[in-house]
Amino acid sequence: MNDILKIVNLEKSYYTKDGEIKAIKDITLDVKKGEIVTIVGTSGCGKSSLLGILANIDKQTSGTYVFYKDDVTIGYMLQNDALFPWLTIYENAILGLKIAKKDSKENKDYVLRLLKNYNLEDFINKYPNELSGGMKQRVALIRTLALKPDILLLDEPFSALDYQSRLAVSKDVFDIIKKENITTILVSHDIAEAVSLSNRVVVLAKRPCFIKNIYDINLPYDDPIVNRKSQEFSILYDKIWKDLDEYVS
Amino acid sequence: MNMSAKQKEFLQKEKRNKIFVHLMQVLIVVIFLISWEVLANKKVLNPFIFSSPSRIVLTIKKLFLEGSLINHILTTLYEIVLAFFIGIASGFLIAILLYEVKTLAKILDPFLTMLNSLPKVALGPIIIIWFGANTKAIIVMALLINLIVSIVNIYNGFLGTDDIKIKLLQSFGASKWQILRYLVIPGSKRTIVTSLKLNISMTLIGVIMGEFLVSKKGIGYLIIYGTQVFNLNVVMAGIVILIILSFLLYEFVSLLEKKLLKDC
């Protein structure tokens, strides 16, 4: 597999009246095409800062990151669905295309196809408040996929859901990502989610965050929920738990 | 839909309670008017100073038949509508400017607070000197009162925009203008529409205050004229017309609010 992203010695500091806060320290990481990499760490460890930099919303203080091509398209999904309540489901789904001025008929048809494929066809003229949490999350993902991203950045996209919905929606999203074969970096503080969904898990230390460990994940099944019952899952879960345990006060 | 007996009883109780509240409101007005009329007729209240409901009605009728009443109402209404729309439009544009240029908002913050807390009537004499004793001065007086309130309200609405949604649009490569157009303005629709209600009340205060100071026409002028010639029937007639006018304007803006917020 080829590298789609190379991060080298990335650092990020914030400057406040009380002094400098180092959020990220010396992160070096390669991400391969088609891979799902999950970054885990305790709350406030700098995971979201890292994703913000990769999404070009924030700037690093030092270090570099390079995508495999210049005009790489990034899909960014945030902590909640962030659907606009005054827009219909279809209007929400094509919002990114509109902003990026890529709302051609072909791309709009692609969105309609995605909505149909993921069982949202009957809801295109409805408003977000008429949908369940899981459905809204699917719409948010389709809005991101509409731009045909080369890499997906998911910043704790399931954190606003209750536990059962979270399991179901994360499986849905996992299936969609696998089907569309999109390289994905997922940020999560949920170890079980990280182990069950990913090819690799990167464990970050608490502020300033640096890479403490990287685990290759090879679970026996294709289904992330079924994988949670495997022995391999338990072993990895325990190892990562121990890695993070020292940062929990 | 099947409704349980308890639910029916609850709804009936709610309805009865609503009717009772409305009845009591009407009763208070009726008792007040009758007492006023009787006390004025029995000379317990001096009708020369306190007037009475029947005298007010007769004065309104007289002013109407003379043709001057409609002229006064239309003048005040014209000034209100003009100041209202200028206030809302300018308030909206200035709020956008402050939202986009955060440093400007920080610089202007103490001045806005000062202007907001200043009793604007104190500026009346200066406004007359600068703009003359005409409609322009009345509009400026109304703007002094409604503009700051509109700016502060709409600007605060803009500041309440969800950061996550801003980040999302930024990740799509949205420009500042696109963030405003697709998120900040539609997301603040409720605040903007609600500020219309506040603005209409402020405009009314400003226009009447302006008419007190400089006008030769309008309801404010009618009230001041009545005071100067010590005709309390005219003063009270002016106040009653003003109450009706402000009620109608408030209801109009409330209707507009309901219509505009139908989808929210």
Side-chain angles (χ1 to χ4, degrees):
Chain A
M1 283 200 285
N2 303 320
D3 285 345
I4 194 168
L5 167 67
K6 265 184 181 296
I7 304 171
V8 183
N9 304 125
L10 202 80
E11 302 211 341
K12 173 73 186 173
S13 292
Y14 293 101
Y15 301 95
T16 69
K17 282 182 202 162
D18 301 324
E20 181 183 344
I21 299 165
K22 202 160 206 136
I24 300 171
K25 188 184 154 195
D26 199 22
I27 299 259
T28 296
L29 181 72
D30 296 339
V31 178
K32 293 179 183 8
K33 197 164 169 40
E35 212 183 4
I36 300 177
V37 175
T38 299
I39 299 170
V40 291
T42 51
S43 293
C45 80
K47 326 181 276 288
S48 296
S49 299
L50 177 62
L51 229 53
I53 293 167
L54 298 177
N56 206 19
I57 288 170
D58 204 355
K59 289 266 174 285
Q60 72 271 35
T61 312
S62 64
T64 54
Y65 63 94
V66 187
F67 291 102
Y68 76 108
K69 61 176 184 177
D70 289 337
D71 58 339
V72 71
T73 305
I74 296 164
Y76 189 32
M77 208 172 144
L78 294 120
Q79 279 104 341
N80 62 41
D81 55 67
L83 295 179
F84 291 12
W86 55 88
L87 298 181
T88 63
I89 294 309
Y90 174 66
E91 287 165 339
N92 266 294
I94 62 162
L95 184 66
L97 289 175
K98 251 183 155 174
I99 300 273
K101 297 196 167 63
K102 290 179 178 171
D103 51 339
S104 61
K105 191 180 176 305
E106 185 196 342
N107 284 340
K108 284 180 179 171
D109 286 346
Y110 173 63
V111 170
L112 281 174
R113 223 165 37 243
L114 286 174
L115 287 165
K116 189 180 169 190
N117 288 350
Y118 301 114
N119 303 320
L120 290 159
E121 197 185 18
D122 296 337
F123 299 90
I124 55 172
N125 292 320
K126 303 251 187 246
Y127 286 87
N129 63 356
E130 298 172 85
L131 268 63
S132 69
M135 289 164 112
K136 283 194 258 191
Q137 217 64 21
R138 286 212 300 267
V139 178
L141 183 67
I142 289 168
R143 178 181 58 194
T144 314
L145 295 177
L147 289 159
K148 298 177 182 160
D150 300 296
I151 185 161
L152 259 184
L153 307 176
L154 309 181
D155 190 355
E156 303 198 37
F158 319 118
S159 58
L161 301 172
D162 61 78
Y163 184 70
Q164 272 184 309
S165 307
R166 193 180 171 126
L167 277 183
V169 175
S170 62
K171 183 188 176 319
D172 270 2
V173 170
F174 175 84
D175 288 344
I176 294 170
I177 289 169
K178 280 281 167 199
K179 199 171 165 191
E180 307 292 330
N181 191 30
I182 302 169
T183 312
T184 301
I185 301 179
L186 169 70
V187 154
S188 178
H189 60 257
D190 184 333
I191 302 170
E193 191 173 276
V195 176
S196 64
L197 295 176
S198 324
N199 301 111
R200 264 194 303 161
V201 173
V202 177
V203 181
L204 293 185
K206 205 169 182 176
R207 275 194 178 184
C209 85
F210 58 88
I211 297 177
K212 189 172 182 187
N213 257 321
I214 298 179
Y215 295 93
D216 286 319
I217 314 285
N218 288 302
L219 297 181
Y221 310 106
D222 285 334
D223 187 322
I225 297 176
V226 178
N227 267 330
R228 287 178 183 236
K229 291 167 190 154
S230 67
Q231 198 188 356
E232 292 90 333
F233 173 88
S234 304
I235 294 166
L236 282 162
Y237 185 96
D238 288 343
K239 281 183 181 172
I240 297 170
W241 179 275
K242 273 181 196 153
D243 279 345
L244 292 175
D245 203 26
E246 65 180 278
Y247 303 113
V248 180
S249 51
Chain B
M1 194 177 68
N2 281 333
M3 210 185 282
S4 69
K6 287 268 182 202
Q7 174 71 8
K8 265 185 197 167
E9 193 187 322
F10 170 78
L11 290 177
Q12 273 169 358
K13 200 178 160 195
E14 283 287 297
K15 200 176 168 186
R16 275 200 305 271
N17 194 31
K18 204 173 164 186
I19 291 170
F20 175 75
V21 169
H22 284 312
L23 268 177
M24 286 311 288
Q25 286 166 339
V26 173
L27 201 64
I28 286 171
V29 175
V30 170
I31 290 173
F32 173 73
L33 291 176
I34 291 173
S35 312
W36 186 6
E37 184 67 35
V38 171
L39 291 173
N41 284 341
K42 300 273 181 205
K43 308 284 186 210
V44 178
L45 289 175
N46 184 349
F48 186 65
I49 296 174
F50 291 99
S51 187
S52 68
S54 60
R55 287 176 179 85
I56 293 168
V57 172
L58 286 174
T59 309
I60 291 174
K61 191 179 165 191
K62 186 173 156 254
L63 288 169
F64 179 74
L65 292 174
E66 280 171 3
S68 62
L69 186 63
I70 293 293
N71 199 12
H72 288 305
I73 293 174
L74 287 179
T75 303
T76 303
L77 212 54
Y78 166 74
E79 288 158 355
I80 289 172
V81 170
L82 200 62
F84 176 73
F85 282 109
I86 295 175
I88 278 290
S90 321
F92 180 68
L93 292 175
I94 295 169
I96 288 178
L97 186 71
L98 294 180
Y99 182 76
E100 286 302 327
V101 191
K102 295 277 187 314
T103 312
L104 183 70
K106 277 185 191 163
I107 293 169
L108 293 183
D109 183 55
F111 303 110
L112 284 175
T113 311
M114 252 191 296
L115 266 176
N116 202 16
S117 51
L118 180 79
K120 279 43 160 214
V121 72
L123 299 174
I126 301 171
I127 290 167
I128 296 169
I129 294 166
W130 286 351
F131 296 95
N134 52 35
T135 309
K136 225 191 284 174
I138 297 170
I139 303 294
V140 171
M141 179 57 91
L143 285 176
L144 270 175
I145 294 176
N146 73 13
L147 188 58
I148 306 284
V149 175
S150 295
I151 294 170
V152 173
N153 255 333
I154 299 172
Y155 175 61
N156 282 333
F158 288 171
L159 286 183
T161 307
D162 185 358
D163 275 344
I164 288 187
K165 291 193 175 103
I166 295 177
K167 272 190 187 174
L168 175 84
L169 293 194
Q170 282 172 336
S171 78
F172 292 144
S175 63
K176 276 187 162 192
W177 162 243
Q178 284 179 313
I179 293 175
L180 259 181
R181 184 186 157 196
Y182 288 104
L183 172 62
V184 179
I185 295 173
S188 309
K189 191 174 165 188
R190 183 171 285 278
T191 318
I192 296 168
V193 173
T194 310
S195 76
L196 295 179
K197 239 179 190 171
L198 200 60
N199 189 291
I200 198 75
S201 312
M202 294 293 134
T203 306
L204 205 68
I205 295 171
V207 164
I208 297 302
M209 208 188 279
E211 284 185 351
F212 277 0
L213 290 170
V214 298
S215 183
K216 302 262 182 311
K217 276 188 293 185
I219 309 293
Y221 166 75
L222 195 67
I223 294 169
I224 282 291
Y225 169 77
T227 316
Q228 282 164 354
V229 298
F230 219 78
N231 185 344
L232 268 295
N233 291 333
V234 172
V235 176
M236 292 295 190
I239 292 170
V240 168
I241 291 162
L242 204 56
I243 291 170
I244 296 168
L245 197 65
S246 58
F247 174 76
L248 291 176
L249 284 170
Y250 192 80
E251 283 301 301
F252 172 73
V253 175
S254 295
L255 269 177
L256 197 71
E257 184 184 22
K258 258 187 207 158
K259 207 172 161 59
L260 290 172
L261 293 179
K262 210 169 62 186
D263 309 330
C264 287

